[in-house]
Amino acid sequence: MRRAIGGVALMAFFGLVNCQQLKGNQDDPCQIKARVISDITYCDRYWECVNGQPELYDCPNGLVFAGKNRGVTEGCDYPWRSNYCDGKQQANPPIGTDHCDWLYGIFGHETSCTRYWTCWNGTATEQLCIGGLLYNERTHSCDWPENVDGCQKHPLCNDDPNGNVPLGKSCNRYWQCQGGYPRLQRCPAMLVFDRRSLRCVVPPTEDCDVPSTLPPPVQEDDLQENIPQNNPRNQHNFSNLPPGAIPIPSKGKPKN
């Protein structure tokens, strides 16, 4: 919920303050078609024309003004998505909760390179990078391991940092280690992954028969992650999650 600066009891006082502020370089939102305009000093504040008068509002904590009908909510967006704050500062300090530096944002995990937190109004939801990707704190997205500093090699690749590793019981997918990091791969059509030679071969093998034209989808057990396709926790505005990421399933019912 957006927060207006001032209250009803102080309406006359803040109306005077607003007029004084607008006497400077600040444009009047009531004089433009959009009726909404950014504050010239603070990137997390904006002006809106309400009943013919300019009113000053704060973006939700951790977000900055992006423009009318833009961003993730109320015209506000993550500050790292664009140059919203160039030449400006943020008026409000961070409000932190468990796993969240601000009430809204995307933040790195404390102990894992493949996981991170999405925070919405102070509620943290744990997310997972898949396909051998790691969370990149600089870009706030899942990224190839060579672009992420400070993360250890993956245990899947302990035996051979540049070899192949079987993926569960799958006949057509496998892990390909590159520099100690696994990347999910699929054998070419009509080939299967041989667990002995650790490469794609013409079937049949000891474990796999001739595949159909369309290989079956990978089973969840093969991926060793019980990840549902429709996660009930993903009800917030997480349409802007980093690429290559999916929510981690809830570990039980929330506390009352």
Side-chain angles (χ1 to χ4, degrees), residues 194-245:
D194 180 23
R195 300 172 185 276
R196 296 197 174 190
S197 63
L198 299 179
R199 61 189 181 90
C200 295
V201 300
V202 176
T205 65
E206 183 177 332
D207 303 295
C208 298
D209 296 325
V210 178
S212 60
T213 303
L214 296 176
V218 177
Q219 299 297 316
E220 291 178 353
D221 290 342
D222 291 340
L223 291 173
Q224 301 176 352
E225 289 287 350
N226 183 22
I227 302 170
Q229 294 299 313
N230 296 308
N231 193 322
R233 296 185 66 185
N234 195 23
Q235 299 300 315
H236 297 305
N237 189 356
F238 291 149
S239 60
N240 296 287
L241 291 180

Side-chain angles (χ1 to χ4, degrees), residues 12-160:
F13 171 76
F14 277 96
L16 178 60
V17 171
N18 289 349
C19 289
Q20 289 177 341
Q21 290 176 325
L22 291 178
K23 286 181 181 179
N25 295 325
Q26 179 66 55
D27 292 331
D28 188 343
C30 298
Q31 302 300 317
I32 63 174
K33 183 177 180 180
R35 299 299 197 209
V36 180
I37 195 169
S38 61
D39 186 80
I40 61 172
T41 303
Y42 300 106
C43 56
D44 56 345
R45 286 182 172 176
Y46 62 96
W47 296 84
E48 183 172 351
C49 184
V50 180
N51 298 324
Q53 296 295 323
E55 292 286 346
L56 183 61
Y57 291 91
D58 280 339
C59 283
N61 188 256
L63 304 181
V64 297
F65 185 68
K68 187 176 182 180
N69 300 325
R70 298 180 60 188
V72 294
T73 183
E74 301 175 17
C76 300
D77 201 2
Y78 300 118
W80 39 265
R81 279 196 168 159
S82 188
N83 57 348
Y84 303 123
C85 291
D86 281 1
K88 297 183 180 182
Q89 55 184 314
Q90 288 181 255
N92 299 291
I95 300 174
T97 62
D98 288 344
H99 312 300
C100 304
D101 295 339
W102 301 73
L103 294 184
Y104 291 79
I106 300 176
F107 307 101
H109 198 279
E110 296 83 355
T111 60
S112 174
C113 289
T114 60
R115 303 181 184 222
Y116 62 97
W117 303 98
T118 53
C119 295
W120 195 262
N121 197 24
T123 299
T125 302
E126 194 175 26
Q127 314 288 351
L128 173 68
C129 292
I130 61 174
L133 302 181
L134 303 178
Y135 177 73
N136 189 327
E137 185 67 43
R138 182 179 57 84
T139 61
H140 299 269
S141 65
C142 296
D143 202 350
W144 294 117
E146 58 265 29
N147 298 327
V148 181
D149 297 328
C151 284
Q152 296 179 350
K153 310 299 182 183
H154 198 284
L156 272 174
C157 303
N158 283 344
D159 293 337
D160 186 350

